[in-house]
Amino acid sequence: MDIRTLCDLPPRLLALFDRPDLLQYKTAGSWRSISTRDFCRRVTDLALGMAVTGVQPGDRVAILSENRPEWSITDQAILAAGAVSVPIYTSLLPDQTAYILKDAAAVAVVVSTRDQLEKIRAVRSGLPALREVIFMDAGGANIDGVRGWHEVVGLGAPQPDAAIEERRAAVRPEDLASLIYTSGTTGEPKGVMLTHGNFVHNLKAACEAIPFRTTDVCLSFLPLAHVYERLVEFCYLYRGASIAYAESIEAVPQNLREVRPTIACGVPRIFEKVYKRTLEAGFGLPWPRRAIFAWAVDIARRCGAATRPGRSLPPTLRAQRLVADRLVYRTLRGRLGGRVRFFISGGAPLQQELAEFFHGTGVLILEGYGLTETSPVIALNRPDAFRFGTVGQPVDGVEVRVAEDGEILTRSPSVMQGYFGNEAATREAIRDGWFQTGDIGKLDSDRYLTITDRKKELLKTSGGKFVAPQPIENLMRSDRFVQQALVIGDGRRFVAALIVPAYDQLAHYARERGIPFDDPRDLVRHPRILGLFEKRLTRVNAELPRYEQVKKFRLLGCEFSQENGEVTPTLKFRRKVIEERYRPLIEEMYEEERSPVVA
């Protein structure tokens, strides 16, 4: 049974994948399941209930919720009702949330918790189009002006299913399915219009590239408000896999051990944290176990760098890896659940060394690339065709070419219909049928795509040299002492950096060397710590051409955060915000006479 629109996913599930554990969630300390039949029944009842409350085909209905079964049921119900879903990040502030609701002219919003509900109540008076607020958690029916989620399901239960089946059948591939607002690194977010046809084309192309299976158990922890996790969930449902929702991002390490997933999708920062925690634990061991761990890390890196699909490791290295696997790698894989077939990474560049290290330990991370405007997948590495350091080859039906200035252009049925209510921005983004990604990259002779940086983020020094900051930042973050790094230097004499240390690693280093401290963050001013980072930076600079070398740096006592407006919900830097916030520190670097750090 094939699908024309996303509305066909629940009927396909019932016909092909009637399983007892389609969705899994944890409550009161125990994991519980929702069967395929229960899922589809709730989708239909909620869609009928929304119709009773007045939701019409084409209406926009927002979802403001963490990942949980109700998110997916609500999304499918909105689509079944012929309406348009508008996902919103729970981390957004009330005024940011109000902007999206007002711009989308949402007639209803479905919210998860009391905190999210209060956010809506604080801005509701300024949203004339908003007629319904539906509250997922218990007690919603007792709040003035708010309906309970289960109350709406109850309104739909007595209604004939035929009413929703008619709406489902009336939805066409060219109809709008979702309005997704970009995270807005510069300016206000724009509403990306994605149709059913956009999503269906992309999920089929992704499923051709990645072997999702009915037997897979998939851990969901990236926000479903992000088109990346949303599309992947459509793929899981298309293949009938089981989806387990993590309790929170903080609980992911524990949930990995409990659920023991076979697939999970993440962003590079997740894998970087696992990597650094692994190194911290290993290098904190007493000798000789620490020496064994260091040897195993070296073997993993060498194996990862040497491995390619269809190519065997040299016999000596293969034998060393078998020993390292028994001593170290099995434990690492056990912390990830012990049965992961592969992870998928997207949203930002993944460090090549990190991917090679994990693969050397027996954990494959497949990096992909896409944007909200492309539904989102443009290119993917496959389990049987991957190259670390690239984002893989274009998926089926997606054309990619590189313009003369290095910008990546793409054309496919997955490309958006445009920006909601913004024809000028749409014309700027799509020219002669080609979407301008804004990313700089290159295609090799085998069509593997490499991303080097964002076009708008390229720096130009006062000497006229163009510098791509992301590769330098990635190189710096590969150091176990670096948590975040922001490269600056546009219009300046040289490149400099603001560095957020990995405070746990810093504390361990200070204790070993007898450097006193009360809070690891206090160490950012200690001369010996500054000396440590100068040495580490010298190693980074040795891999860079002279005009890209980081000549000055400052260590920061706090992370760049979304709460401070410094990163987006998708963890991208808002560079102008950061540079303005730390302007005195930056100016100090460029004014001081102290010798720069050089290779």
Side-chain angles (χ1 to χ4, degrees):
M1 178 180 178
D2 207 353
I3 63 172
R4 292 172 52 257
T5 71
L6 294 174
C7 298
D8 296 330
L9 281 173
R12 174 184 165 86
L13 279 165
L14 271 179
L16 301 178
F17 309 113
D18 189 0
R19 60 185 303 161
D21 59 348
L22 182 71
L23 306 182
Q24 300 179 50
Y25 64 103
K26 192 175 181 183
T27 182
S30 299
W31 285 91
R32 302 188 182 182
S33 298
I34 295 174
S35 69
T36 301
R37 290 183 179 275
D38 285 345
F39 170 77
C40 293
R41 183 68 260 165
R42 293 185 205 183
V43 166
T44 298
D45 287 346
L46 183 60
L48 287 164
M50 286 183 175
V52 170
T53 67
V55 173
Q56 297 296 317
D59 281 348
R60 271 79 66 192
V61 179
I63 308 175
L64 180 60
S65 169
E66 304 79 7
N67 290 20
R68 52 195 284 179
E70 293 89 345
W71 204 110
S72 296
I73 293 168
T74 300
D75 189 31
Q76 289 296 323
I78 293 168
L79 298 172
V84 178
S85 65
V86 184
I88 302 176
Y89 289 100
T90 57
S91 55
L92 293 184
L93 298 173
D95 62 327
Q96 295 171 317
T97 303
Y99 174 86
I100 292 173
L101 290 169
K102 189 171 185 177
D103 190 73
V107 302
V109 59
V110 183
V111 301
S112 56
T113 63
R114 282 276 181 173
D115 287 344
Q116 300 304 327
L117 179 60
E118 290 308 314
K119 193 184 295 184
I120 296 299
R121 296 180 80 185
V123 300
R124 188 172 184 177
S125 62
L127 303 170
L130 189 66
R131 301 193 304 265
E132 297 287 346
V133 178
I134 302 170
F135 186 42
M136 288 181 184
D137 281 357
N142 300 320
I143 303 172
D144 288 342
V146 176
R147 291 185 190 269
W149 190 85
H150 291 283
E151 175 192 354
V152 179
V153 171
L155 288 174
Q159 307 299 318
D161 290 1
I164 282 304
E165 295 310 319
E166 287 177 8
R167 288 204 186 188
R168 268 198 180 119
V171 175
R172 301 164 300 171
E174 60 267 27
D175 289 340
L176 194 60
S178 196
L179 195 56
I180 304 178
Y181 281 78
T182 59
S183 51
T185 54
T186 58
E188 295 287 4
K190 298 187 288 288
V192 177
M193 297 189 291
L194 298 179
T195 67
H196 286 265
N198 289 148
F199 277 121
V200 168
H201 175 269
N202 206 250
L203 81 85
K204 288 182 179 180
C207 286
E208 282 296 314
I210 301 292
F212 299 108
R213 300 172 183 166
T214 307
T215 53
D216 279 322
V217 176
C218 313
L219 187 65
S220 170
F221 53 83
L222 292 182
L224 279 163
H226 194 305
V227 68
Y228 166 31
E229 184 71 24
R230 180 108 166 279
L231 187 279
V232 168
E233 176 150 311
F234 291 150
C235 291
Y236 297 157
L237 294 174
Y238 185 71
R239 292 299 191 204
S242 180
I243 306 168
Y245 296 99
E247 297 171 273
S248 66
I249 198 70
E250 293 77 22
V252 166
Q254 178 183 341
N255 293 163
L256 281 166
R257 294 190 294 271
E258 295 168 340
V259 173
R260 302 184 64 238
T262 56
I263 296 174
C265 292
V267 292
R269 191 171 178 184
I270 299 289
F271 303 116
E272 288 166 9
K273 285 187 175 182
V274 173
Y275 173 68
K276 288 176 180 177
R277 284 173 184 164
T278 300
L279 294 186
E280 180 185 1
F283 288 121
L285 293 170
W287 194 89
R289 292 173 64 195
R290 178 169 53 188
I292 293 171
F293 176 82
W295 169 80
V297 167
D298 179 62
I299 294 300
R301 288 171 175 159
R302 289 167 57 194
C303 288
T307 302
R308 295 291 182 275
R311 185 190 303 175
S312 298
L313 291 173
T316 302
L317 192 56
R318 188 164 63 246
Q320 290 173 317
R321 191 193 175 281
L322 285 172
V323 176
D325 189 75
R326 295 191 189 98
L327 297 175
V328 177
Y329 306 156
R330 286 181 183 177
T331 301
L332 171 60
R333 293 197 301 273
R335 290 174 182 165
L336 300 174
R339 59 174 185 171
V340 171
R341 293 201 293 126
F342 50 80
F343 286 112
I344 302 173
S345 178
L350 179 70
Q351 299 162 37
Q352 182 173 341
E353 288 185 4
L354 189 146
E356 290 174 348
F357 165 79
F358 273 105
H359 192 244
T361 68
V363 178
L364 178 60
I365 302 176
L366 299 171
E367 187 175 6
Y369 165 67
L371 299 96
T372 304
E373 291 90 341
T374 57
S375 303
V377 182
I378 293 174
L380 271 175
N381 278 289
R382 284 81 159 161
D384 59 350
F386 59 85
R387 287 185 186 174
F388 298 132
T390 79
V391 295
Q393 299 165 313
V395 296
D396 287 352
V398 174
E399 296 178 74
V400 173
R401 65 183 176 90
V402 178
E404 289 184 5
D405 64 356
E407 183 176 7
I408 298 165
L409 312 179
T410 184
R411 180 171 64 184
S412 79
S414 296
V415 172
M416 67 171 182
Q417 300 308 292
Y419 295 113
F420 186 67
N422 195 336
E423 292 184 7
T426 301
R427 288 194 299 270
E428 180 68 20
I430 304 175
R431 303 176 197 168
D432 299 323
W434 289 87
F435 176 69
Q436 322 286 301
T437 67
D439 289 313
I440 302 295
K442 57 186 178 182
L443 276 168
D444 67 17
S445 58
D446 294 321
R447 302 289 294 171
Y448 281 89
L449 180 63
T450 301
I451 312 298
T452 55
D453 219 302
R454 289 290 294 170
K455 187 175 180 179
K456 291 181 180 178
E457 292 180 356
L458 286 176
L459 310 176
K460 187 177 183 181
T461 66
S462 59
K465 294 288 189 179
F466 282 99
V467 176
Q470 280 193 11
I472 304 172
E473 291 163 354
N474 291 341
L475 194 59
M476 294 171 71
R477 283 207 320 276
S478 66
D479 191 292
R480 65 190 179 98
F481 288 101
V482 177
Q483 182 70 29
Q484 295 171 308
L486 181 88
V487 167
I488 52 182
D490 193 42
R492 308 279 191 167
R493 303 190 315 277
F494 55 82
V495 173
L498 298 176
I499 300 173
V500 177
Y503 301 113
D504 291 343
Q505 294 280 355
L506 214 54
H508 179 72
Y509 177 88
R511 289 190 197 99
E512 277 197 333
R513 285 154 183 79
I515 302 174
F517 66 93
D518 294 321
D519 185 325
R521 297 169 191 270
D522 298 336
L523 291 167
V524 298
R525 293 182 293 273
H526 197 284
R528 289 174 65 185
I529 297 300
L530 293 173
L532 166 70
F533 276 86
E534 285 192 355
K535 290 178 182 176
R536 312 293 289 200
L537 200 52
T538 297
R539 296 176 189 173
V540 170
N541 283 337
E543 300 185 38
L544 299 170
R546 191 168 187 82
Y547 67 91
E548 290 186 349
Q549 291 174 0
V550 179
K551 305 296 177 66
K552 301 278 183 74
F553 70 92
R554 287 293 184 271
L555 302 182
L556 304 182
C558 61
E559 288 190 43
F560 302 129
S561 69
Q562 189 179 342
E563 292 73 21
N564 292 334
E566 296 161 335
V567 298
T568 69
T570 54
L571 304 181
K572 295 182 177 69
F573 287 143
R574 287 193 167 104
R575 294 178 183 272
K576 289 184 179 178
V577 173
I578 295 172
E579 289 187 28
E580 186 59 37
R581 182 156 292 165
Y582 291 97
R583 183 163 299 283
L585 209 59
I586 293 169
E587 295 300 334
E588 179 185 284
M589 278 193 286
Y590 284 100
E591 290 170 1
E592 68 184 10
E593 295 299 323
R594 190 169 64 84
S595 298
V597 178
V598 294

